[in-house]
Amino acid sequence: MLVLKFGGTSVGNTEAFAQTAQIVARARQQDPQVVVVTSAMSGVTNTLIKAARAAADGHEHPYREARSDLLLKHQLVAGQLIEDGVERAAYGRLIDERLRSFERLCHSIFVLGELTARGLDVVSGLGERMSAPLLAAVLRANGIDAEWVDAAEIIVTDDNFGGATPLLEPTCAHANARLRPLLEQGKVPVVTGFVGATVDGIATTLGRGGSDYSAAIIGSCLGADEVQIWTDVNGILTADPRIVPEAQTLPELSYTEAAELAYFGAKVLHPKTILPAIEASIPIRVANTFNPDGPSTLVVSEATSDGSVKAITAIRNLTLINVEGRGMIGVPGIAARTFKAVAEVGANVLMISQSSSEQSICFAVPEADSPAVVEALEQELARELSRHFIDRVRAMHDIVIIAVVGAGMRGTPGIAGRLFSALGEAGINVIALAQGSSEVNISLVVKESDVEEAVRRIHAAFFGS
Ligand code: ADP
Ligand code: ASP
Ligand code: MG
């Protein structure tokens, strides 16, 4: 069995839908059992979220305009690819109903003047609920017996709206109960990515870019032979091609390497995608919808490694928090209290670095969490601050982490040296640095304004330009 996930650009317009239908048809020749997971059409999730936010701020115009734009966008594809009048009319009714409910929701948000995380999940999940029925209809128009399935019937999550965690046991039970019968009837289920529901049936989402994760969850529940992530680039590359145009496809990556890359900002895979795949040992293939016979990447448990560094990524919109002061030297427990306070505000720490003199600890958190983190630390360390054992808690904004990833770095001397000369020659200042004990990753912090140049320089140092 194969699980094929199509990202936003793979269902971005008429040509993309047609291309996607061909890929599904080919997959079925390879394996009669195929499950499709789809994202919203590209740009749609952003449009929905923007309109809902504007409604909360008192603006009605954006959601009215979004409604007609979204109708046009979907109807255009339906009109061009669904020949059967009955099918087309059925989709017309569905999209109309969805957009009506979108407008009603936005109207309530407008009246209340408030948008809750729970409300936002209902709105942002509508995109997949418009694209999956459309893709199923397009597949049927191509002679593939497809049926769309709402993942709210399959993926059971907690109620952490905006980034919910799936509960694996009920999810797998539902995946098998809902999808196996369809597969046995020779049908292709087309499941909405990104969305789920709580045990009580309240709509949730898995976080932005979460359709990759949906596919991996479903693939692992069904024991798929492969999960295929179909996107708009030739697999996972040595760097983001938007920054480094000459970046090359990595034919093979280990789960650990792919997880590090995804965690440190390689948007091509949602960071949680690898987890379900590891547990079920399912290979993940990343391939290009618009170049299906071109290079692609296979992510497996043990990957061959011909070089030391495999790829370079960057994660943006971070703040570096510094806790510093001579009073920290040899005083046990400051680090523990620091990270306890950070955990209590629910902030995600992406990297930690401590100077060997013990005069400072610094760590990176998402920009959005930084005010809460600073406040929590000032409270937790109030006594030390008032006695000047700790000089200050300092937030440095507009920073990024660049991660250099590759399992072969383990035991290869000189990597850090090459890295620093590459940046030094370009006059780029490294603010902080950390290397995991696994040696799969070296991360460094630089200013946001240096990120692209830094990634290009490091890429050139390891892969040539
Ligand atoms: P989809 O909509 O198919 O899920 P995304 O936009 O989420 O696609 O992810 C694909 C994008 O990820 C690419 O267009 C590319 O710009 C970006 N990207 C970032 N880092 C990498 C990398 N190392 N390899 C490939 N793509 C990358
Ligand atoms: N449509 C969702 C998003 O834009 C999920 C995804 O594309 O994976 O975040
Ligand atoms: Mg994506």
Side-chain angles (χ1 to χ4, degrees):
M1 181 199 304
L2 300 174
V3 174
L4 276 60
K5 177 261 169 177
F6 294 93
T9 41
S10 304
V11 290
N13 55 33
T14 304
E15 293 71 41
F17 266 91
Q19 183 66 23
T20 287
Q22 277 188 27
I23 291 168
V24 175
R26 276 197 356 187
R28 283 198 93 206
Q29 285 167 3
Q30 198 188 329
D31 191 321
Q33 297 204 325
V34 169
V35 176
V36 169
V37 175
T38 186
S39 289
M41 288 182 75
S42 67
V44 168
T45 314
N46 283 346
T47 301
L48 294 166
I49 293 174
K50 257 201 217 149
R53 294 221 166 105
D57 291 339
H59 307 293
E60 289 188 281
H61 179 68
Y63 70 78
R64 299 239 160 92
E65 192 176 70
R67 178 180 171 170
S68 52
D69 288 354
L70 293 174
L71 182 68
L72 195 67
K73 191 172 171 101
H74 290 83
Q75 286 287 41
L76 198 65
V77 175
Q80 287 177 325
L81 295 180
I82 308 173
E83 273 173 29
D84 184 289
V86 177
E87 278 267 18
R88 226 176 32 227
Y91 184 71
R93 284 192 299 277
L94 182 141
I95 189 91
D96 208 48
E97 172 48 39
R98 286 283 181 283
L99 289 170
R100 230 185 265 265
S101 99
F102 165 67
E103 196 165 6
R104 273 198 307 269
L105 280 161
C106 286
H107 183 69
S108 315
I109 294 164
F110 167 76
V111 170
L112 292 170
E114 185 189 43
L115 177 59
T116 60
R118 176 173 163 171
L120 185 59
D121 269 2
V122 180
V123 176
S124 62
L126 287 170
E128 275 70 9
R129 295 184 166 106
M130 297 189 274
S131 65
L134 180 54
L135 181 56
V138 169
L139 292 178
R140 289 194 294 273
N142 281 271
I144 299 167
D145 191 5
E147 184 175 318
W148 87 277
V149 176
D150 192 326
E153 295 177 50
I154 297 177
I155 298 186
V156 184
T157 70
D158 65 10
D159 63 356
N160 181 23
F161 298 106
T165 301
L167 312 175
L168 281 186
E169 230 173 274
T171 296
C172 284
H174 290 167
N176 279 287
R178 183 72 175 90
L179 302 177
R180 289 237 183 255
L182 295 177
L183 292 167
E184 276 151 23
Q185 290 162 39
K187 292 192 177 188
V188 173
V190 180
V191 186
T192 53
F194 183 50
V195 300
T198 65
V199 181
D200 301 325
I202 298 161
T204 56
T205 65
L206 305 180
R208 294 306 307 272
S211 298
D212 302 329
Y213 189 26
S214 308
I217 294 164
I218 290 170
S220 94
C221 287
L222 298 177
D225 297 298
E226 191 169 284
V227 171
Q228 301 179 349
I229 306 289
W230 288 91
T231 182
D232 59 358
V233 283
N234 291 338
I236 302 178
L237 312 180
T238 48
D240 185 344
R242 287 178 212 202
I243 300 179
V244 183
E246 64 272 22
Q248 298 287 316
T249 299
L250 293 157
E252 213 172 71
L253 276 178
S254 69
Y255 289 132
T256 316
E257 290 169 328
E260 292 281 336
L261 287 175
Y263 183 78
F264 284 107
K267 191 184 167 218
V268 64
L269 269 192
H270 184 275
K272 291 184 183 164
T273 312
I274 301 296
L275 218 65
I278 295 181
E279 279 165 19
S281 291
I282 297 171
I284 298 180
R285 182 172 294 283
V286 183
N288 190 346
T289 300
F290 307 98
N291 183 15
D293 297 317
S296 64
T297 301
L298 192 64
V299 184
V300 287
S301 43
E302 292 286 337
T304 49
S305 177
D306 48 5
S308 53
V309 169
K310 282 211 173 156
I312 299 138
T313 58
I315 183 161
R316 297 171 193 243
N317 300 321
L318 303 177
T319 296
L320 192 70
I321 311 276
N322 245 297
V323 180
E324 57 197 31
R326 263 171 301 138
M328 288 167 63
I329 302 176
V331 180
I334 299 271
R337 282 168 55 207
T338 298
F339 292 112
K340 183 175 146 268
V342 175
E344 273 165 9
V345 297
N348 184 18
V349 176
L350 288 122
M351 180 193 128
I352 303 172
S353 160
Q354 181 175 23
S355 71
S356 54
S357 66
E358 289 187 55
Q359 284 196 46
S360 75
I361 308 174
C362 72
F363 55 93
V365 295
E367 181 72 58
D369 292 337
S370 81
V373 167
V374 171
E375 197 188 315
L377 286 174
E378 284 174 348
Q379 264 177 30
E380 174 64 39
L381 303 172
R383 215 156 43 118
E384 285 80 2
L385 282 163
S386 71
R387 294 180 184 173
H388 302 288
F389 286 170
I390 290 176
D391 296 331
R392 57 184 174 160
V393 175
R394 189 161 55 104
M396 189 174 189
H397 300 285
D398 300 321
I399 60 122
V400 296
I401 297 178
I402 293 179
V404 178
V405 173
M409 292 185 339
R410 201 179 288 142
T412 309
I415 305 242
R418 274 164 83 185
L419 203 56
F420 287 112
S421 354
L423 296 176
E425 280 160 21
I428 294 169
N429 182 33
V430 176
I431 300 164
L433 149 94
Q435 176 171 28
S437 56
S438 63
E439 288 187 52
V440 176
N441 165 354
I442 299 178
S443 356
L444 20 112
V445 173
V446 301
K447 282 199 313 255
E448 169 81 42
S449 52
D450 284 334
V451 62
E452 300 210 346
E453 182 65 13
V455 170
R456 280 194 284 267
R457 292 281 181 153
I458 299 170
H459 194 272
F462 289 100
F463 303 102
S465 52

